[in-house]
Structures are given as structure tokens and as C-alpha cells.
């Protein structure tokens, strides 16, 4: 073969090799894009996304859609480039979403736990907003702490040193100023048993950031609604905490007369805490895209995400700034009255 033939053959081999590399070699990136959106007032399959048993509920209308971000893994070079060029996806380092020190099963479990926690917190925030009573339970106990072996996770805390425990902060306040070695009288209830009293000698807090001069009990308190009815949220294969706000609003809508959203198509996102504060989330540009494509005309945006959302909002999607649950309900009140909510 002459030089020209060799050159042609080498070029063909290189093109084939590059094509195979681009088609099959995996790149250390994932693609982030619009994920599914779910109406928290509607059905998922044959079941309501949110069902309430043992309490009167009221008809709802319109939509209160929670939104998600899709994460596409195991990308080839060509696949990654194709998604990026489409303009609907962004590439991010894979290690951010799949840390090398964790298995995929561990990551999935963490995401599921975060999602389950967001459901529980949404119930607490909604029922507290509506004025239902609250109870404080022991969530976790530090192993080897003074409470270990005396109190148990799930115990209901009634009082500490004679001071009523009405929320997680009140437990801390009741023990403020108590020193290591002092005794604390903890009144609690385990299941359906009568109330009990534990006299616990407090220890020293050796945890990072702990105050060694403050007496240490070793429990983490968690708040739950104290109501005679059950709320069930049925939504599989979704992870993360960012659905909290929309779950909360849907629960409020079902438990109160009238249509909270005025029958309009509202979507949104945001993590929520038991006190109703709305925290920022990631991936809001993709969530807005999917919401608008689904038909949403208003999107509830966590206050700390407003700058990003405002610069990338799809045409025709009105943004409403929410820093807490009061802001969110005011935004829906405005929509119901055909007014503009507070914007980003």
C-alpha cells in the first residue's frame, strides 16, 4: 500500500475509534434536567397523593404541583454532549450526586429518608398553621448518654424540671443553666402507658460544638401533630426534601373550606420546617420548565431562590416569592382574588 492508502486507513481507524469512544465510554458527569411533576391535590395511579382519614375534608380544585429534577447517570461522551446541546439539561460532576464513598443503595436510602422526613414535616407545619395541638417526641438518643437506657425513641416528652415541653425549643430552654452532675426530672409517656417520671443525672456534652458547662441529657426532640386522624402521602420513586411546601399547602387545602388556590394551576417547590419556614432548593430552572409545560401559570419560589428563578423563568410563568407558609398562603389568597402575588 502506498502512503495515501495508509493515511486513509489510519484516518478511518481513528474515526471509528473516536466514534466507539464517544458512544460507549462513560464520562464523570450526570445530566440534570426537568423531572416529573405531581399534583398534590390529585391522584397518583388509583390513589390520592394525599389522603386524610378520620377527619372531615373539603373539595379542592385546580392544581398544587410539586416539581422534581431528573438526574441522568452513566452518560457516554456523545450522550452528554447531546443533552447539553439540547438546552434543557446541564452537566454536573458525578461525584456531587454519587459520592465515591457511598454505594448507590446508600444514596437512594438517604434520598428516600429525606423525602419521608419532608412528608412528616409538611404534616406538622400544616397542622400547626391550622392551630391543631402539637406533641414532642424523642427522635433519637445519643448512645451512652444519660438518657440512654432510661428513655426511648418515641417517648412523648411532657415536662422537664416542671416546665411544659411544647416544642423542641422548649426542651432546650427547660434545661438551660443546668450543669453536668445536676439531676433533671423528665416527665414522659411511653405509648398508651400512664405518664412516668425519670430522674436523670445529666452528663457533659462531648459532642463537637457542645457546651461543656451545660448539662447534657442526650436526646433529640422531634415534633408531631397531636390529632385523632391520619394523613397519608402516597408517592413512590421520589427523593429529597423539596416537596415539603407543596405537601403542606395541599394538606391545608383539604382541611379547610374553599379552594386555597382559587382553582388555578399553581406549581412550586421548597423545603419546609415545622415552624413553616421555606428553605431554598436546587435545580429550580428545570422545575420551572416542567411546571410551565404542564400548564402552571404561577410558581411558588423560595425567597432565597428568587434571583436565580427570575433570570430564567419561562415565558408566561408568574413567580411568587415565599419565605414562609404565611407568604405562600397570602400568594394563593391573591390569586384567588385575581390579584398578583408578591413577586420575586
Amino acid at each position: 500500500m502506498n502512503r495515501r492508502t495508509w493515511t486513509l486507513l489510519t484516518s478511518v481507524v481513528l474515526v471509528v475509534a473516536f466514534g466507539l469512544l464517544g458512544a460507549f465510554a462513560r464520562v464523570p458527569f450526570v445530566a440534570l434536567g426537568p423531572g416529573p411533576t405531581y399534583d398534590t391535590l390529585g391522584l397518583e395511579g388509583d390513589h390520592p397523593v394525599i389522603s386524610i382519614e378520620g377527619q372531615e375534608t373539603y373539595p379542592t380544585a385546580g392544581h398544587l404541583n410539586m416539581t422534581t429534577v431528573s438526574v441522568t447517570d452513566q452518560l457516554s461522551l456523545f450522550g452528554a454532549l447531546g443533552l447539553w446541546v439540547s438546552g434543557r439539561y446541564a452537566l454536573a460532576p458525578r461525584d456531587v450526586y454519587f459520592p465515591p464513598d457511598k454505594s448507590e443503595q446508600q444514596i437512594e436510602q438517604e434520598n428516600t429518608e429525606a423525602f419521608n422526613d419532608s412528608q412528616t414535616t409538611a404534616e406538622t407545619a400544616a397542622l400547626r398553621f391550622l392551630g391543631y395541638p402539637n406533641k414532642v417526641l424523642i427522635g433519637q438518643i445519643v448512645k451512652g448518654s444519660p438518657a440512654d437506657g432510661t428513655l426511648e425513641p418515641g417517648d412523648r416528652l411532657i415536662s422537664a424540671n416542671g416546665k411544659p415541653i411544647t416544642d423542641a425549643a422548649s426542651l432546650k430552654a427547660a434545661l438551660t443553666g443546668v450543669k453536668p452532675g445536676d439531676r433533671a426530672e423528665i416527665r414522659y409517656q411511653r405509648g398508651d402507658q400512664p405518664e412516668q417520671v425519670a430522674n436523670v443525672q445529666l452528663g457533659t456534652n462531648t459532642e463537637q460544638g457542645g457546651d461543656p458547662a451545660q448539662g447534657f441529657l442526650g436526646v433529640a426532640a422531634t415534633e408531631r401533630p397531636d390529632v385523632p386522624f391520619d394523613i397519608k402521602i402516597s408517592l413512590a420513586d421520589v427523593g429529597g426534601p423539596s416537596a415539603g411546601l407543596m405537601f403542606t399547602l395541599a394538606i391545608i387545602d383539604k382541611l379547610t373550606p374553599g379552594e386555597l388556590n382559587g382553582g388555578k394551576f399553581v406549581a412550586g417547590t421548597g423545603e419546609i420546617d415545622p415552624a413553616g419556614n421555606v428553605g431554598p432548593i436546587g435545580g429550580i430552572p428545570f422545575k420551572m420548565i416542567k411546571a410551565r409545560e404542564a400548564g402552571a401559570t404561577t410558581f411558588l419560589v423560595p425567597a432565597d431562590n428568587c434571583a436565580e428563578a427570575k433570570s430564567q423563568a419561562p415565558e408566561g410563568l408568574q413567580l411568587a416569592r415565599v419565605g414562609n407558609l404565611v407568604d405562600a398562603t397570602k400568594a394563593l389568597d391573591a390569586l384567588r382574588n385575581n390579584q398578583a402575588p408578591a413577586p420575586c
Side-chain angles (χ1 to χ4, degrees):
M1 291 187 291
N2 57 33
R3 179 177 295 178
R4 183 176 180 182
T5 303
W6 275 111
T7 300
L8 180 61
L9 181 60
T10 301
S11 299
V12 170
V13 171
L14 289 174
V15 169
V16 171
F18 179 74
L20 292 173
L21 183 66
F24 297 104
R26 298 290 179 248
V27 293
F29 294 93
V30 295
L32 307 179
T37 179
Y38 303 93
D39 182 14
T40 58
L41 298 176
L43 301 175
E44 176 59 18
D46 297 329
H47 304 284
V49 173
I50 296 176
S51 57
I52 301 174
E53 298 180 358
Q55 178 70 8
E56 181 182 8
T57 58
Y58 299 89
T60 61
H63 292 253
L64 286 173
N65 275 45
M66 57 160 285
T67 49
T68 65
V69 174
S70 68
V71 180
T72 306
D73 190 23
Q74 300 298 321
L75 294 172
S76 68
L77 177 60
F78 288 167
L81 289 174
L83 291 174
W84 180 73
V85 169
S86 73
R88 288 175 59 85
Y89 294 83
L91 300 180
R94 187 178 189 275
D95 287 355
V96 174
Y97 294 87
F98 298 95
D101 60 335
K102 296 181 180 179
S103 68
E104 291 191 19
Q105 185 177 7
Q106 288 175 312
I107 295 167
E108 183 177 351
Q109 179 65 28
E110 289 177 0
N111 287 334
T112 300
E113 289 176 357
F115 185 69
N116 292 337
D117 287 345
S118 77
Q119 297 178 25
T120 301
T121 304
E123 295 175 20
T124 302
L127 296 180
R128 175 185 283 187
F129 180 83
L130 293 174
Y132 286 94
N134 197 46
K135 61 184 176 182
V136 182
L137 307 178
I138 295 177
Q140 294 180 333
I141 294 180
V142 177
K143 187 175 182 180
S145 68
D148 191 16
T150 300
L151 301 174
E152 294 181 2
D155 286 349
R156 179 175 182 176
L157 295 170
I158 308 298
S159 66
N161 287 339
K163 299 176 181 177
I165 305 302
T166 56
D167 54 27
S170 65
L171 174 61
K172 182 178 180 180
L175 297 177
T176 297
V178 181
K179 299 177 176 58
D182 291 347
R183 304 196 76 85
E185 183 184 273
I186 307 297
R187 183 173 292 274
Y188 66 98
Q189 183 178 22
R190 182 168 297 161
D192 295 327
Q193 299 177 19
E195 292 183 9
Q196 305 177 57
V197 175
N199 203 289
V200 183
Q201 184 175 13
L202 301 180
T204 301
N205 191 346
T206 58
E207 296 184 336
Q208 185 176 4
D211 181 1
Q214 169 66 46
F216 181 60
L217 180 61
V219 303
T222 183
E223 300 172 33
R224 294 287 186 273
D226 188 15
V227 294
F229 56 88
D230 295 320
I231 299 174
K232 182 179 180 181
I233 299 178
S234 304
L235 201 57
D237 301 324
V238 178
S242 65
L245 171 63
M246 303 312 292
F247 284 148
T248 302
L249 292 172
I251 293 169
I252 292 172
D253 199 0
K254 286 175 175 281
L255 287 172
T256 53
E259 299 163 357
L260 191 64
N261 56 5
K264 295 179 170 58
F265 196 137
V266 179
T269 187
E271 188 172 356
I272 200 164
D273 69 12
N277 298 306
V278 178
I281 48 77
I284 198 164
F286 309 114
K287 295 180 176 183
M288 293 190 300
I289 289 172
K290 190 65 175 183
R292 185 69 187 107
E293 290 176 348
T297 54
T298 301
F299 196 93
L300 304 181
V301 182
D304 289 342
N305 288 119
C306 262
E308 179 186 16
K310 189 175 180 180
S311 66
Q312 302 186 58
E315 185 177 353
L317 188 64
Q318 177 180 228
L319 305 184
R321 179 186 184 278
V322 295
N324 52 50
L325 192 49
V326 172
D327 290 343
T329 55
K330 284 183 177 179
L332 296 180
D333 286 343
L335 292 176
R336 191 170 59 251
N337 295 318
N338 295 315
Q339 299 172 352
C344 276

